Amino acid sequence: MSISEPDLKNKGAIISAKLGTKQAIIDILEKAMDKGIFDAVLIPMRVPAGDSFAYVLIKDKSLLKEAFPLPPVMSVQGGHAVSSVTRLGKGKTKIAVVMRPCEIRATIELSKLGQTNLENITLISIDCPGVLPISDFLSDPKKSIKLFDDAVQKWDDKIMRPVCQICDKSSMITGDIHIGTLGAKKDSFFIISSSQKGNDVLDKLDIALKDSIDSWEAKVKIISEEKLKKRKKNLKELKSKIGGIDNLLDAFSQCINCHNCMRVCPICYCRLCYFDSDKVKHPSEDYLQRAESKGSIRFLPDTTLFQMGRMMHMSLSCVSCGACEDACPMSIPVAQIFSMVADDTQGLFDYVSGRSLDEPLPLVTYKEEELHEVEDAND
Amino acid sequence: MKKEEEFMPKILAFLCNWCSYAGADLAGTSRLKYPPSILPIRVMCSSRVDPLFIIKAYLAGADGVLVAGCHPGDCHYDKGNYYTRRRFAMLKKIFEELGLESDRLLLSWVSASEGTKYAKVATEFTEKIKKSGDNSVKKEIFL
Amino acid sequence: MTKALKINKNSEQGVLELLKFLLESGKVKGVFTLKKISKDGAVAYSLITKSDELKDAVPLFPLMPVNAGKLLSRFTLRGETTEPVAAVVKPCELRAFMELVKREQGSLENIFVVSSTCGGVYPLKMAVDGSIDKNLSKYWDAVKKAEIPTNLRSACKGCGEFKPYAADMTVDLISKNDIDKQCLIFLNTEKGMEFAKGMKAEFLEKELDKGKLDKFRSKREAEKKKLFDEIETKMNGMDGLIEIFGKCIGCHGCMRVCPICYCKLCEFESPDCEYKPSNYEMELKRRGGLRVPPDTIYYQLGRLTHIGISCVGCGSCEDVCPVDIPLSIIFKKVGESVQKMFDYIPGKSIEEKIPLITFEKEEFAEVED
């Protein structure tokens, strides 16, 4: 029986995980490496000091036992990691990538932007409970890991980052294979395939997709709806707080132009950002003239221009991963602001970033009849 | 059998085109014997060697890095090697401050006529690195 | 004897008085200083051209949102300012600007520098939660007594270079115990005297109290030694470096805020640091695994060799690090060790060449084979 039959689309495999989900995932990956399905695995590992996690491209299977498929922090957005390995081509190594759904979505956006090559990559996502703010985590890594584990058990997002608390796409399947922990019986989880590549891999692993995933789907639906409700409420509040030019300027008044948000953003792939380029370096007379017209200007000026420019450049692909907010030394709620804007801009084109490789980026396509509401009604 | 097991280090050598590379060439044409541990890279001047090259080589797992150029005062470009010496001194200092093995880095002056000196430098540096052993950085994952 | 200006107001008010005078008398066209820019009290550097805007200025606020040397460089990058501008900056910011001018990234022409003996600044984190305002009175109490205020950034706690070298005017904050009543501004240069002329204030012949400054310096040096000793135990070889930098998230914020890192495109963001799949395959073969994106240690070591010689120890790098790596102490310690080799204090004098673009014919024989 072929596992790619259409009537099996809503099926998955229930995997028993007596030693825990983490161990079971690692076992499957190891088996896949043994069988030569993958040559390497890209997966988070704990760093030697134990105070953080980093993506490691693993070829030596013995390292897999140190892997940490669902770390409590997002130290590097996984999209960055995939892009750094495949940006210049596909290579010969077949790589399995284990990441959170928003990281997979970023990877897919990067692929559309020509910054990753997914040909030899198998994307494996996991139901995501959110991550801790990196500063909270670092204040006591050991304790944080425990707190996170407890929170995962209860699927409780209170301690997670604000942008994770309002993420309604934390179980969104857009890669090749998904690991569903929600709605599963004790000591087990679901494996779901969502592409031909995924089917092939599971086929080779003798994992038959014959079990019902109804309970996973039901649970995901409940959680997503809850989160969506919270999202709408929180973003409405945020909009009332930062809406309007005065509030917006205030919101960004602490910005120190370090551009950390841009650097860690998986979508901002430009080698040299416009806002670091010569275009934003002006003669002193210009600055003085601008100061004179108002009595004073903040120096450097154009903080809000940078933020709004970035919204123009990347909000259509923003996956609301929250990396920007984690990296902001001034704790500006950038991720929440960008997530809010992204909802609106993506909504304009009925686009969801990273949903599908086949959907073109909205700004590189068009329809002849659309968006008449932004045109002058007299025309 | 014992000979095969012996550790033969990999030493990256940045050799200036005008003196040290010619010196190495002379060592070869004079059929002087020195260990096969040296991997030469020809640069136009020793001052072309950004300290980053040396760091990169060290992190990539080179057991030793040699920078060789014209003797002070004899630089083909007049004073390139004086800058090299300052940079090299600085890099060594940084290595020492960070507790890295600065002994794996060597600066030497070898002229085009010093085939013998080149063979001697290569031999002695190789021997020294053999004593230090394998550069463990080549196995590090979290670089 | 140096000339000094005495204003019978607290030090910050005194400086504001001076700035107001400079603007209103037309001696300068603009003033570059810290200013409250939002209703919730965010402080940022501002370029002020109208004197009534000075009401929100806080020239001595103990915060360094951005190293002002970097900002002055941006201001004069496209050519010197044709109109005179006064800048109130901290000693390390002035030194950073000098290093940038040496690198042709700015011009001192028409920049009138007002600096101060510096009590140090608080971490950016304290600006975020608003706790600087709550600590202000404690801060000035400590500075008045020439003590190190608690909760300062570690870069400031251990800073021995709190006295500016090349300022036209120096506001004395350390060697006076009545800074809350009186503002004493030393006129170090002819330009300084020229600009002070006409101001309604008392002119004195006076010197900075060297004894008091020395005493303060030894407190700072003791603190520095403690910080250095602590980091030294951690910086022991590659394992130590991996422990320290393991949590780096690669945001390069430290580089972007570093006043010395002026490159438009950093080497570590250039194609040189992008690798082909075949490069990864080779590394995997040898190591069995590799952290990606790679080059965490390479980046930090590289930055040390690129800017260590000119590191002014301003601490901006550590301030913006989202994962709290003790960068300022590492860079300061390594930086000072290489600066000492050349007897170089970065930014001390505009005439001194950066050691790496000059040489002596007989030196460093010990590093030669």
Side-chain angles (χ1 to χ4, degrees):
Chain A
M1 186 176 75
S2 159
I3 53 159
S4 53
E5 275 173 34
D7 60 317
L8 291 175
K9 232 189 155 193
N10 292 324
K11 297 266 175 165
I14 294 175
I15 305 288
S16 136
K18 287 263 161 357
L19 298 171
T21 311
K22 188 177 133 192
Q23 191 54 47
I25 294 171
I26 290 172
D27 287 346
I28 293 172
L29 291 169
E30 202 170 330
K31 194 171 158 200
M33 285 181 87
D34 278 336
K35 292 197 163 200
I37 303 169
F38 306 127
D39 304 315
V41 178
L42 180 62
I43 196 165
M45 267 173 80
R46 215 161 156 170
V47 299
D51 54 359
S52 191
F53 296 82
Y55 274 99
V56 176
L57 187 57
I58 295 177
K59 190 188 165 85
D60 177 355
K61 271 183 316 201
S62 66
L63 290 170
L64 268 181
K65 61 176 184 293
E66 313 276 340
F68 227 95
L70 201 64
V73 281
M74 187 187 286
S75 49
V76 170
Q77 223 276 5
H80 264 313
V82 180
S83 165
S84 91
V85 179
T86 65
R87 182 177 184 163
L88 300 183
K90 67 178 157 73
K92 294 186 201 116
T93 318
K94 285 172 284 172
I95 302 172
V97 181
V98 184
M99 304 194 297
R100 295 181 137 84
C102 64
E103 297 177 294
I104 305 257
R105 287 169 53 220
T107 306
I108 288 173
E109 287 302 295
L110 284 168
S111 170
K112 294 184 200 177
L113 292 162
Q115 302 303 311
T116 56
N117 185 319
L118 298 180
E119 207 173 315
N120 278 335
I121 304 282
T122 304
L123 296 171
I124 304 172
S125 51
I126 307 182
D127 280 344
C128 174
V131 296
L132 301 176
I134 204 157
S135 52
D136 288 5
F137 172 80
L138 287 169
S139 63
D140 189 347
K142 258 198 197 129
K143 198 175 134 209
S144 298
I145 291 173
K146 216 191 146 287
L147 280 175
F148 180 78
D149 284 347
D150 292 348
V152 173
Q153 290 303 321
K154 292 181 234 144
W155 215 257
D156 174 8
D157 60 13
K158 268 200 303 290
I159 56 168
M160 309 300 177
R161 303 185 304 197
V163 74
C164 295
Q165 290 184 22
I166 56 167
C167 174
D168 58 332
K169 299 181 178 62
S170 55
S171 294
M172 193 173 180
I173 306 182
T174 65
D176 301 304
I177 294 171
H178 183 77
I179 293 165
T181 51
L182 290 168
K185 289 207 183 76
K186 196 170 176 286
D187 294 338
S188 74
F189 60 86
F190 297 102
I191 283 194
I192 303 157
S193 167
S194 55
S195 74
Q196 189 55 46
K197 206 190 263 175
N199 290 348
D200 292 346
V201 167
L202 296 175
D203 199 16
K204 281 184 207 155
L205 278 167
D206 299 323
I207 294 176
L209 301 169
K210 56 181 175 34
D211 305 315
S212 157
I213 55 166
D214 291 350
S215 65
W216 176 78
E217 280 179 338
K219 187 84 192 175
V220 167
K221 193 160 172 262
I222 295 170
I223 288 175
S224 305
E225 276 168 6
E226 265 172 33
K227 293 236 184 168
L228 189 61
K229 227 164 89 193
K230 192 171 174 192
R231 179 177 186 87
K232 284 189 172 147
K233 183 176 150 271
N234 286 16
L235 291 185
K236 206 173 144 197
E237 276 168 28
L238 183 66
K239 198 172 258 176
S240 69
K241 225 165 48 193
I242 65 148
I245 186 66
D246 289 336
N247 290 337
L248 198 63
L249 290 174
D250 268 0
F252 294 126
S253 62
Q254 294 272 24
C255 173
I256 55 165
N257 301 302
C258 67
H259 295 185
N260 277 10
C261 46
M262 174 272 281
R263 254 302 286 192
V264 298
C265 174
I267 308 301
C268 274
Y269 67 85
C270 295
R271 189 172 287 147
L272 180 62
C273 177
Y274 174 88
F275 296 100
D276 283 334
S277 77
D278 279 351
K279 288 280 195 302
V280 298
K281 292 166 188 165
H282 309 292
S284 52
E285 301 93 76
D286 289 18
Y287 292 120
L288 275 167
Q289 228 166 50
R290 283 176 68 178
E292 275 186 312
S293 69
K294 293 180 187 169
S296 78
I297 48 163
R298 164 209 192 119
F299 203 90
L300 297 171
D302 300 336
T303 309
T304 309
L305 179 69
F306 163 69
Q307 300 289 357
M308 290 182 67
R310 225 168 73 77
M311 283 173 197
M312 281 304 298
H313 284 174
M314 54 62 67
S315 75
L316 279 168
S317 291
C318 173
V319 295
S320 305
C321 67
C324 45
E325 200 165 309
D326 254 356
C328 179
M330 304 309 283
S331 304
I332 298 169
V334 253
Q336 296 163 68
I337 296 172
F338 273 67
S339 193
M340 178 187 93
V341 171
D343 271 6
D344 290 347
T345 55
Q346 293 176 19
L348 207 52
F349 304 98
D350 194 21
Y351 184 76
V352 174
S353 57
R355 180 168 55 188
S356 156
L357 268 171
D358 305 324
E359 281 177 300
L361 297 165
L363 293 187
V364 299
T365 183
Y366 62 88
K367 291 179 192 150
E368 288 191 6
E369 292 297 330
E370 64 173 351
L371 301 170
H372 293 307
E373 64 275 18
V374 302
E375 301 168 333
D376 183 353
N378 295 324
D379 282 345
Chain B
M1 280 311 282
K2 197 172 169 283
K3 219 172 178 183
E4 270 178 32
E5 282 159 24
E6 197 190 19
F7 164 60
M8 182 52 75
K10 282 198 168 128
I11 296 170
L12 207 62
F14 294 100
L15 308 176
C16 105
N17 177 64
W18 305 101
C19 293
S20 309
Y21 192 84
D25 219 18
L26 182 60
T29 49
S30 319
R31 296 179 163 247
L32 296 174
K33 248 197 168 159
Y34 62 91
S37 52
I38 309 269
L39 309 165
I41 294 177
R42 177 157 67 165
V43 287
M44 286 311 281
C45 175
S46 60
S47 65
R48 174 63 184 89
V49 181
D50 187 318
L52 283 187
F53 298 178
I54 302 173
I55 296 171
K56 185 99 200 173
Y58 177 74
L59 293 176
D63 298 305
V65 183
L66 168 68
V67 179
C70 311
H71 286 270
D74 292 343
C75 175
H76 185 79
Y77 306 100
D78 193 25
K79 51 197 177 187
N81 48 8
Y82 291 121
Y83 297 119
T84 309
R85 186 168 60 191
R86 283 206 158 191
R87 283 182 214 156
F88 193 84
M90 182 182 81
L91 182 64
K92 255 190 119 105
K93 186 68 162 183
I94 291 175
F95 263 57
E96 281 160 19
E97 279 292 312
L98 298 174
L100 301 174
E101 302 160 288
S102 67
D103 284 352
R104 293 191 186 272
L105 316 180
L106 183 71
L107 174 69
S108 190
W109 310 128
V110 177
S111 79
S113 62
E114 292 177 321
T116 352
K117 181 171 180 195
Y118 179 78
K120 188 169 161 269
V121 168
T123 311
E124 284 176 6
F125 192 38
T126 304
E127 282 312 311
K128 189 171 153 198
I129 297 292
K130 270 186 187 170
K131 273 184 206 128
S132 314
D134 216 9
N135 176 7
S136 62
V137 176
K138 69 176 76 140
K139 291 280 175 213
E140 289 291 353
I141 292 167
F142 285 95
L143 284 181
Chain C
M1 274 286 162
T2 318
K3 280 244 184 326
L5 204 58
K6 194 176 101 183
I7 304 164
N8 287 322
K9 283 188 172 174
N10 81 32
S11 293
E12 185 145 58
Q13 288 303 319
V15 175
L16 283 172
E17 184 98 358
L18 169 74
L19 297 175
K20 194 163 172 243
F21 165 76
L22 290 174
L23 264 182
E24 286 177 353
S25 64
K27 292 192 178 190
V28 300
K29 186 86 174 181
V31 163
F32 183 89
T33 187
L34 289 170
K35 178 171 178 280
K36 298 222 169 192
I37 60 157
S38 77
K39 53 178 187 284
D40 52 354
V43 170
Y45 273 106
S46 297
L47 181 61
I48 301 172
T49 51
K50 293 208 175 78
S51 64
D52 51 348
E53 284 284 319
L54 284 171
K55 66 183 188 307
D56 295 325
V58 281
L60 304 179
F61 196 73
L63 180 74
M64 191 193 293
V66 186
N67 184 303
K70 202 171 182 88
L71 300 180
L72 287 173
S73 150
R74 188 62 82 82
F75 183 58
T76 57
L77 184 65
R78 287 283 165 93
E80 61 186 56
T81 165
T82 44
E83 309 272 9
V85 168
V88 188
V89 297
K90 294 168 183 73
C92 61
E93 294 176 311
L94 176 55
R95 292 198 295 127
F97 185 45
M98 301 288 249
E99 285 297 298
L100 284 164
V101 172
K102 287 184 199 177
R103 286 166 166 76
E104 296 177 12
Q105 298 301 309
S107 163
L108 278 161
E109 201 62 40
N110 278 327
I111 301 281
F112 181 73
V113 182
V114 181
S115 192
S116 65
T117 48
C118 177
V121 302
Y122 286 121
L124 283 176
K125 281 199 180 82
M126 286 176 66
V128 174
D129 61 21
S131 55
I132 293 185
D133 283 315
K134 281 175 222 142
N135 276 282
L136 268 185
S137 60
K138 266 192 246 163
Y139 176 85
W140 288 114
D141 274 351
V143 172
K144 201 163 85 174
K145 289 183 228 147
E147 277 165 8
I148 302 169
T150 43
N151 300 330
L152 278 194
R153 307 188 309 173
S154 44
C156 298
K157 275 186 195 162
C159 171
E161 299 290 351
F162 52 85
K163 181 178 163 249
Y165 285 106
D168 295 304
M169 291 187 180
T170 301
V171 185
D172 187 18
L173 300 175
I174 302 295
S175 69
K176 271 170 63 64
N177 47 22
D178 56 351
I179 48 175
D180 47 350
K181 297 192 189 74
Q182 211 183 64
C183 177
L184 201 58
I185 303 174
F186 288 90
L187 315 175
N188 308 322
T189 60
E190 258 173 52
K191 206 157 124 195
M193 284 189 268
E194 174 78 30
F195 274 57
K197 229 178 252 167
M199 194 165 163
K200 281 192 206 105
E202 204 178 320
F203 285 78
L204 312 168
E205 301 269 322
K206 216 171 154 53
E207 292 286 351
L208 273 164
D209 189 333
K210 205 171 161 298
K212 276 193 179 151
L213 289 182
D214 284 346
K215 234 165 112 190
F216 185 61
R217 181 170 289 113
S218 60
K219 279 183 202 167
R220 286 274 185 92
E221 294 289 344
E223 199 64 42
K224 179 160 95 182
K225 191 173 174 306
K226 243 194 276 171
L227 290 162
F228 278 12
D229 286 351
E230 201 182 312
I231 202 73
E232 190 158 18
T233 59
K234 292 182 189 151
M235 292 198 305
N236 52 350
M238 192 49 73
D239 290 346
L241 291 183
I242 289 174
E243 294 250 317
I244 294 173
F245 293 119
K247 59 184 171 178
C248 172
I249 61 168
C251 68
H252 294 186
C254 43
M255 172 273 279
R256 230 169 279 273
V257 299
C258 175
I260 310 301
C261 274
Y262 67 85
C263 295
K264 196 180 290 164
L265 181 63
C266 177
E267 164 73 15
F268 302 99
E269 291 176 2
S270 78
D272 285 3
C273 286
E274 284 171 14
Y275 303 104
K276 289 195 199 113
S278 56
N279 295 123
Y280 283 104
E281 278 153 17
M282 204 173 67
E283 291 295 330
L284 283 184
K285 219 167 158 184
R286 187 163 46 191
R287 299 178 201 265
L290 183 69
R291 175 189 181 139
V292 285
D295 288 347
T296 307
I297 303 289
Y298 180 48
Y299 165 74
Q300 301 288 358
L301 281 177
R303 228 169 72 75
L304 275 170
T305 64
H306 279 179
I307 68 106
I309 192 71
S310 289
C311 174
V312 294
C314 71
S316 288
C317 44
E318 188 169 325
D319 238 1
V320 300
C321 182
V323 293
D324 299 328
I325 298 170
L327 289 162
S328 70
I329 302 304
I330 297 168
F331 274 69
K332 197 166 165 143
K333 181 163 191 300
V334 176
E336 280 185 10
S337 75
V338 294
Q339 289 158 17
K340 230 175 255 164
M341 293 168 65
F342 304 102
D343 202 11
Y344 183 69
I345 294 175
K348 181 178 174 181
S349 149
I350 200 74
E351 269 85 45
E352 267 179 318
K353 275 191 174 168
I354 301 163
L356 295 182
I357 59 160
T358 180
F359 61 85
E360 311 238 339
K361 287 195 169 161
E362 300 290 334
E363 61 176 357
F364 299 117
E366 68 277 12
V367 304
E368 299 169 332
D369 182 14

